[in-house]
Amino acid sequence: MASHFSAVIRLNVTSFLAVGLICFHVISAFKSPLLSRRGVVSNPETRTNLINYKTYYFEQKIDHFGFIEDATFKQRYLVADQHRHKDGSPILFYTGNEGDITWFCNNTGFMWDVAEELGAMLVFAEHRYYGESLPFGDQSYSDPKYLNYLTSEQALADFAVLIEELKKTVPGAQQSPVIALGGSYGGMLAAWLRMKYPHVVVGALASSAPIWQFPGLVPCGVFYKIVTDDFSKSGSGCSESIRRSWKAIDNVTSTEEGLQWLSSEFRLCTPLKNKEDAMAVKSWLQETWVNLAMVDYPYEANFLQPLPAWPIKVVCQYLKDPSLPDTALLQGIFQAVNVYYNHTGNTQCLNTSQTATGNLGYIGWYYQACTEMVMPMCSDGVNDMFEAQMWDFQAFSDECYGQFGVRPRADWAITVYGGKNISSHSNIIFSNGGLDPWSGGGVTQKISGSLVVIMIPEGAHHLDLRYNNAYDPQSVLNARDLEVQYMKKWIKEAADSKSPSNHLP
Amino acid sequence: MASHFSAVIRLNVTSFLAVGLICFHVISAFKSPLLSRRGVVSNPETRTNLINYKTYYFEQKIDHFGFIEDATFKQRYLVADQHRHKDGSPILFYTGNEGDITWFCNNTGFMWDVAEELGAMLVFAEHRYYGESLPFGDQSYSDPKYLNYLTSEQALADFAVLIEELKKTVPGAQQSPVIALGGSYGGMLAAWLRMKYPHVVVGALASSAPIWQFPGLVPCGVFYKIVTDDFSKSGSGCSESIRRSWKAIDNVTSTEEGLQWLSSEFRLCTPLKNKEDAMAVKSWLQETWVNLAMVDYPYEANFLQPLPAWPIKVVCQYLKDPSLPDTALLQGIFQAVNVYYNHTGNTQCLNTSQTATGNLGYIGWYYQACTEMVMPMCSDGVNDMFEAQMWDFQAFSDECYGQFGVRPRADWAITVYGGKNISSHSNIIFSNGGLDPWSGGGVTQKISGSLVVIMIPEGAHHLDLRYNNAYDPQSVLNARDLEVQYMKKWIKEAADSKSPSNHLP
């Protein structure tokens, strides 16, 4: 069974769906002049000092939903309580997603920006199977049987149990209202935590959370359509050039000579040897464009490599003329991806097997996509700039079975989390960026009075969760203000209602 | 591991906690003149004709919360659609509890009584591991490893998946609002189904559902206190006689002669041989008194054996003088239990290893109590008529470990279902009978506008779910009227709001 895992990374690159998967999260640490609207700090060096937390580990049951497996593992969580000055003050609880929690902690500046104003304790809880929170230690990914407890339901139960424990054991926290926050998959978890455990969290901020990117809820093409729109809007001829590039690659790499030429022009670390390698280059390019759409932030930011402000605009400067001959067009494509991979000019060669940070757990997320997180994606090459590719559930299911010995359950996420029928829930903010491809599967239309939708037209992937920045568009400043207002409202309502004790005197 | 099971039945009898467990459900099919308030039928023979359903089986995943175990089992469910006359009409869905679903179907007359008025389709879904719905067939109880999927969460998921399937496949049901109904543990499931899957059911009627009978939520003595009150109210000297009987049994059975005397006086099928057997008799008596409290219905009813109307009053006729000498007192006790076990006069001898119907799954429920359903009970012999017995979690845990190789998780049910913090939920009716010992752990005080509490002072265990009867007290008639009003309200609200489709056109 262990051999199931041998080809994962490779598949992640070549699999169509993995494009969506691998790119689910690309948050960058920014480096740019800062303006704090809440008067805290004004430059990134000070910000680093701000991020001051203690690391703890909590003994979680490996299986919350069965009792034969009674062992525990150490779930990591980070606590910053320097802004908490009285009993019953709120707790902002980051529902960790598919990666190292310290990385999310460092990249969720919003929580640090508002901690003082809310007098809040910050908690960042790591998601099981990511970072250091490995249920079976080094063995966790060694065999599919150990992955059986990697589900969103188990993760939500971890969060609920941990919050209950904190309220019991942290002095003065017993009456503290807890608000869940998260971005991307973490935002989905924040929303779901409020839906499934409303007695544990009084509300949730779900930023860029595509809870509707499930079968039948939104058209499968919406994701790549938005990516394409971002490029179309960022420069004349831009998306058309990319749309044409796929055929150009096919043409050029149809000969041995062409493979060599492309390897050289693209400064690839590993030269292309055959048609399959050329296909891998196309997947890598596709992921790169997707990543750019997600991190199309209005200021210089530091992702894996530093990126300029509005990176897609910079990219599009090299993609103005789709009518160029193949080789000239591809030379422009190289210049364009070079913006993403070599903004500093220090990159020696381009490595097509990596497109995003090592802080994310790709295999873990791949397993989740192969089980519950079935998020159909497709492209048609007409409404988007990518090669046409249908959503083929059966092929995907077979790939998952080959990889992990499990098959995805297409309907389960909708059955368990409600799909579009979420109106009976309350106190959830769904914020979405208009530039973010994941907004296509997000909640972008008002559902009810206390399910709030906030749109940030100029925002990429969960821009609102990042630190305030001098170059932030007004829409994200307004969004953060509104988010704080709602959080204050929930906190006040919780104080007014006083939940009954679950413990006899 | 299989040997774990060998002593279960015996332990159920001798274990203190099992008293509560084994008696959780004692619903009887009545036999008495009937008055239908909704003009349907007037005698039990006609009623039997009314119960006209078809039996189906649905392929359920054995494990909804993990993907390695991908096998399915056949979940049984019963459907009566003779009252459903148009598309979109409601579905009343009985969330089966710890027993054979046909038995619950036959004993939930309320649903049959209201089906025509609501134009509703009735569905009775069997709980996994009970009746015919055995995930591993005959092996299901052969080894604790097979019991790993016996949890309330899995059962709720079964119900949610089944409802989604029915709405997809039954013509005209796509827009049908579904209301969950259940009594006792089934009532807990109905409430929890609405809490966890509000997109699947628009509301729930949770009758006699002790969702607060968990650690720290209510005093552990409340259950036996209510049993005692029932006996105190039913005859002078009654509860005092029972309180004195324990010591009388100890005294009498301290000699070989006394053991023989008691065996003969009580007409026991198996004569007592030693002190342990005498203790088992005490447990059996205790369970009998509890059972009587649960089925203290106002009309003649047929449980395992037929019972007279208000059976505790009849019992108490034999327990008027607590000051009698031990042997005379115990002769009265025998007359009293004889009311329960031999109302017809046909019983040859009394069998102390059985106190309730064979339609319940005792081992399954015992496993559930040993895992999630940790319901503390205690007695002190002062506020109740039983021998003092502390709630000893550790001893219970050890017993469970010996029996099934699992340990109960005392806090889990509260973490997952919210304990007393349920105010953010909606559309749940909690009905409780004042005579029912389980009302001590029920929701008997108003929580919020749409969490409705209905008290039936003269009601025993989920009297409201039974057929209308000429001898019903006014309080249960009012309760049923109110329940129907709320169900109509939910149905109307669902029709007005029109839930969004989870399927693209």
Side-chain angles (χ1 to χ4, degrees):
Chain A
M1 292 290 265
S3 65
H4 275 132
F5 290 92
S6 57
V8 167
I9 294 299
R10 186 178 158 70
L11 258 167
N12 259 347
V13 173
T14 56
S15 152
F16 169 70
L17 190 116
V19 172
L21 303 180
I22 210 165
C23 309
F24 201 4
H25 241 303
V26 278
I27 315 176
S28 66
F30 65 92
K31 271 200 180 166
S32 66
L34 294 168
L35 173 74
S36 168
R37 296 179 62 249
R38 294 193 162 79
V40 183
V41 286
S42 61
N43 68 62
E45 285 65 40
T46 322
R47 287 292 166 83
T48 310
N49 294 338
L50 244 194
I51 296 190
N52 183 6
Y53 57 77
K54 287 189 182 141
T55 303
Y56 297 90
Y57 297 86
F58 177 68
E59 291 283 342
Q60 283 286 4
K61 295 283 182 196
I62 288 176
D63 190 2
H64 294 289
F65 302 102
F67 290 75
I68 297 293
E69 173 57 86
D70 201 40
T72 60
F73 72 98
K74 287 187 196 306
Q75 179 183 22
R76 180 166 58 157
Y77 64 104
L78 319 176
V79 175
D81 63 358
Q82 54 269 36
H83 298 293
R84 182 172 162 271
H85 299 303
K86 61 173 185 180
D87 287 359
S89 56
I91 296 172
L92 302 188
F93 187 94
Y94 189 90
T95 48
N97 29 329
E98 73 285 19
D100 185 303
I101 193 62
T102 63
W103 188 67
F104 294 115
C105 175
N106 287 323
N107 282 282
T108 309
F110 174 71
M111 285 171 65
W112 297 94
D113 277 345
V114 302
E116 189 174 358
E117 182 172 348
L118 298 177
M121 181 164 102
L122 306 184
V123 178
F124 297 84
E126 193 157 67
H127 191 298
R128 54 169 56 203
Y129 287 89
Y130 298 101
E132 295 183 2
S133 300
L134 301 173
F136 298 94
D138 293 348
Q139 298 296 301
S140 299
Y141 282 90
S142 66
D143 188 301
K145 76 181 177 193
Y146 294 123
L147 287 169
N148 196 44
Y149 310 98
L150 171 51
T151 67
S152 60
E153 291 88 347
Q154 298 276 11
L156 292 175
D158 290 341
F159 296 146
V161 169
L162 175 57
I163 291 170
E164 299 275 67
E165 178 68 13
L166 291 173
K167 292 181 79 162
K168 257 187 225 164
T169 57
V170 174
Q174 206 179 341
Q175 291 297 321
S176 288
V178 181
I179 294 172
L181 298 94
S184 198
Y185 170 51
M188 297 162 76
L189 293 170
W192 293 337
L193 188 63
R194 171 64 188 169
M195 292 182 195
K196 294 293 185 185
Y197 298 85
H199 50 287
V200 171
V201 292
V202 300
L205 168 54
S207 175
S208 296
I211 63 165
W212 289 348
Q213 188 73 47
F214 289 98
L217 299 186
V218 296
C220 61
V222 67
F223 184 92
Y224 287 111
K225 172 79 168 63
I226 297 172
V227 175
T228 302
D229 289 346
D230 290 349
F231 283 79
S232 297
K233 283 185 288 191
S234 298
S236 171
C238 193
S239 63
E240 292 83 350
S241 297
I242 293 172
R243 186 181 287 114
R244 263 216 56 221
S245 69
W246 314 114
K247 182 76 180 132
I249 293 171
D250 288 345
N251 292 342
V252 166
T253 59
S254 64
T255 66
E256 191 72 30
E257 206 178 13
L259 286 164
Q260 281 176 27
W261 178 84
L262 196 71
S263 306
S264 163
E265 284 292 322
F266 273 42
R267 302 195 197 158
L268 300 181
C269 303
T270 310
L272 308 179
K273 292 199 184 64
N274 50 39
K275 207 68 203 159
E276 266 187 24
D277 290 350
M279 275 181 62
V281 163
K282 290 200 285 187
S283 291
W284 168 74
L285 286 172
Q286 181 164 334
E287 284 178 45
T288 306
W289 309 137
V290 166
N291 285 358
L292 275 160
M294 284 200 282
V295 297
D296 195 23
Y297 295 129
Y299 44 80
E300 204 173 5
N302 186 359
F303 175 45
L304 274 185
Q305 303 88 346
L307 281 183
W310 296 118
I312 297 183
K313 276 193 187 149
V314 182
V315 159
C316 286
Q317 289 171 6
Y318 303 102
L319 301 170
K320 291 182 174 173
D321 185 359
S323 66
L324 288 174
D326 287 347
T327 51
L329 185 80
L330 293 180
Q331 282 167 333
I333 293 284
F334 168 71
Q335 296 297 329
V337 293
N338 219 32
V339 170
Y340 182 80
Y341 292 108
N342 192 16
H343 181 53
T344 60
N346 296 328
T347 306
Q348 298 300 312
C349 62
L350 301 191
N351 176 2
T352 59
S353 69
Q354 198 173 358
T355 69
T357 173
N359 286 303
L360 288 168
Y362 300 108
I363 305 178
W365 182 251
Y366 189 28
Y367 180 83
Q368 291 195 254
C370 274
T371 48
E372 294 181 300
M373 299 296 141
V374 181
M375 299 180 155
M377 290 199 183
C378 62
S379 52
D380 62 9
V382 178
N383 294 295
D384 55 64
M385 64 189 188
F386 299 98
E387 291 190 286
Q389 186 136 9
M390 279 175 21
W391 165 246
D392 184 344
F393 178 74
Q394 193 53 54
F396 176 59
S397 177
D398 292 345
E399 187 179 303
C400 290
Y401 192 74
Q403 202 67 33
F404 300 109
V406 296
R407 290 194 179 276
R409 297 178 186 166
D411 298 330
W412 173 242
I414 294 175
T415 298
V416 72
Y417 297 122
K420 295 205 164 180
N421 296 317
I422 58 173
S423 61
S424 62
H425 299 290
S426 62
N427 293 6
I428 305 173
I429 301 168
F430 295 99
S431 63
N432 278 287
L435 305 178
D436 179 17
W438 291 106
S439 69
V443 180
T444 51
Q445 287 172 350
K446 191 178 160 75
I447 304 282
S448 78
S450 69
L451 296 183
V452 181
V453 167
I454 299 180
M455 285 306 297
I456 305 160
E458 300 88 357
H461 204 41
H462 46 59
L463 175 62
D464 52 334
L465 287 192
R466 299 173 63 80
Y467 278 116
N468 273 313
N469 185 289
Y471 298 103
D472 273 332
Q474 189 59 40
S475 60
V476 77
L477 300 179
N478 294 347
R480 292 190 191 120
D481 272 348
L482 205 52
E483 288 162 6
V484 171
Q485 280 177 40
Y486 273 102
M487 290 197 284
K488 285 181 177 174
K489 181 170 177 280
W490 300 337
I491 291 164
K492 184 173 182 311
E493 284 168 359
D496 292 347
S497 75
K498 274 190 189 165
S499 57
S501 173
N502 272 338
H503 298 278
L504 292 171
Chain B
M1 293 290 267
S3 64
H4 276 135
F5 291 92
S6 58
V8 167
I9 294 299
R10 187 177 157 72
L11 259 166
N12 259 346
V13 174
T14 56
S15 151
F16 168 71
L17 190 115
V19 172
L21 302 181
I22 210 165
C23 307
F24 201 3
H25 241 301
V26 278
I27 316 177
S28 67
F30 66 91
K31 272 201 180 166
S32 66
L34 294 168
L35 173 73
S36 167
R37 296 179 64 251
R38 294 193 161 79
V40 184
V41 286
S42 62
N43 67 63
E45 284 66 37
T46 322
R47 287 292 166 85
T48 309
N49 294 339
L50 243 193
I51 296 190
N52 183 5
Y53 57 77
K54 287 187 182 142
T55 303
Y56 297 91
Y57 297 86
F58 178 68
E59 291 283 341
Q60 282 286 2
K61 295 283 183 196
I62 288 176
D63 189 2
H64 293 288
F65 301 103
F67 290 75
I68 297 292
E69 172 58 83
D70 201 40
T72 60
F73 71 99
K74 287 187 194 306
Q75 179 183 23
R76 179 168 57 159
Y77 64 103
L78 318 176
V79 175
D81 62 358
Q82 55 269 37
H83 298 294
R84 184 172 160 270
H85 299 303
K86 60 173 185 181
D87 287 358
S89 56
I91 296 172
L92 303 187
F93 187 94
Y94 189 90
T95 48
N97 28 330
E98 74 284 21
D100 185 303
I101 193 61
T102 63
W103 188 67
F104 293 115
C105 175
N106 287 322
N107 282 280
T108 310
F110 173 71
M111 285 172 66
W112 297 95
D113 276 346
V114 301
E116 189 173 356
E117 182 172 350
L118 298 176
M121 181 164 102
L122 306 185
V123 179
F124 297 84
E126 193 159 66
H127 191 298
R128 54 169 57 202
Y129 287 89
Y130 298 102
E132 295 184 1
S133 300
L134 301 173
F136 297 94
D138 293 347
Q139 298 297 302
S140 299
Y141 283 90
S142 66
D143 187 303
K145 77 181 177 194
Y146 295 123
L147 287 169
N148 196 44
Y149 309 98
L150 171 51
T151 67
S152 59
E153 292 87 347
Q154 298 276 9
L156 293 175
D158 289 340
F159 297 147
V161 168
L162 175 57
I163 291 170
E164 299 276 68
E165 178 69 13
L166 291 173
K167 292 181 79 164
K168 256 186 225 164
T169 57
V170 175
Q174 207 180 340
Q175 292 297 321
S176 289
V178 181
I179 294 172
L181 299 93
S184 197
Y185 170 51
M188 297 162 77
L189 293 170
W192 292 338
L193 188 63
R194 171 64 189 169
M195 292 183 195
K196 294 294 186 185
Y197 299 84
H199 50 287
V200 172
V201 293
V202 300
L205 168 53
S207 175
S208 296
I211 62 166
W212 289 349
Q213 189 73 44
F214 289 99
L217 299 186
V218 296
C220 60
V222 68
F223 183 92
Y224 288 111
K225 172 78 167 61
I226 297 172
V227 176
T228 302
D229 289 346
D230 290 349
F231 283 79
S232 297
K233 283 185 288 191
S234 297
S236 171
C238 193
S239 63
E240 292 84 350
S241 296
I242 293 172
R243 186 182 287 113
R244 262 214 58 220
S245 70
W246 314 113
K247 182 77 180 127
I249 293 172
D250 288 344
N251 292 342
V252 165
T253 59
S254 64
T255 66
E256 191 72 30
E257 206 178 14
L259 286 165
Q260 281 176 24
W261 179 85
L262 196 72
S263 305
S264 164
E265 285 292 323
F266 272 43
R267 300 193 200 160
L268 299 181
C269 302
T270 310
L272 307 179
K273 292 200 183 66
N274 50 40
K275 206 67 204 160
E276 266 188 24
D277 290 350
M279 275 181 62
V281 162
K282 291 199 285 186
S283 291
W284 168 74
L285 286 172
Q286 181 164 335
E287 284 179 47
T288 306
W289 309 138
V290 166
N291 284 359
L292 276 160
M294 285 199 281
V295 296
D296 195 23
Y297 295 129
Y299 43 81
E300 205 174 4
N302 185 358
F303 175 44
L304 274 185
Q305 303 88 347
L307 281 183
W310 297 119
I312 298 184
K313 275 193 188 150
V314 182
V315 159
C316 286
Q317 288 170 7
Y318 303 102
L319 301 169
K320 291 181 173 172
D321 185 0
S323 67
L324 288 174
D326 287 348
T327 50
L329 185 81
L330 292 181
Q331 282 167 332
I333 292 284
F334 168 71
Q335 295 298 327
V337 295
N338 219 32
V339 171
Y340 182 80
Y341 292 107
N342 193 16
H343 181 53
T344 61
N346 297 328
T347 306
Q348 298 299 313
C349 62
L350 301 191
N351 175 2
T352 59
S353 69
Q354 198 173 358
T355 67
T357 173
N359 286 304
L360 287 168
Y362 300 108
I363 304 177
W365 182 251
Y366 189 29
Y367 180 84
Q368 291 195 255
C370 274
T371 49
E372 295 181 300
M373 299 296 140
V374 180
M375 299 180 155
M377 291 200 182
C378 62
S379 53
D380 62 9
V382 179
N383 294 295
D384 55 63
M385 64 189 189
F386 299 97
E387 291 191 287
Q389 187 136 9
M390 280 175 22
W391 164 246
D392 184 343
F393 178 74
Q394 192 53 53
F396 176 59
S397 177
D398 291 345
E399 187 179 305
C400 291
Y401 191 74
Q403 201 66 34
F404 300 108
V406 295
R407 290 193 178 276
R409 297 178 187 166
D411 298 330
W412 174 242
I414 294 175
T415 298
V416 74
Y417 297 121
K420 295 205 162 179
N421 297 316
I422 57 174
S423 61
S424 63
H425 299 289
S426 61
N427 293 9
I428 305 173
I429 301 168
F430 295 100
S431 63
N432 278 287
L435 305 179
D436 180 16
W438 291 106
S439 69
V443 180
T444 51
Q445 286 172 351
K446 192 178 160 73
I447 304 282
S448 78
S450 68
L451 296 184
V452 181
V453 167
I454 298 180
M455 285 306 297
I456 305 160
E458 300 87 357
H461 204 41
H462 46 59
L463 175 63
D464 52 335
L465 288 193
R466 300 172 63 79
Y467 278 115
N468 274 313
N469 184 289
Y471 298 103
D472 273 333
Q474 189 59 40
S475 60
V476 78
L477 300 178
N478 294 347
R480 292 190 191 120
D481 272 348
L482 204 52
E483 288 162 6
V484 171
Q485 281 177 38
Y486 273 102
M487 290 197 285
K488 286 182 176 172
K489 181 171 179 279
W490 300 336
I491 292 164
K492 185 173 182 312
E493 284 168 359
D496 292 347
S497 75
K498 275 189 188 165
S499 56
S501 172
N502 273 339
H503 298 278
L504 292 172

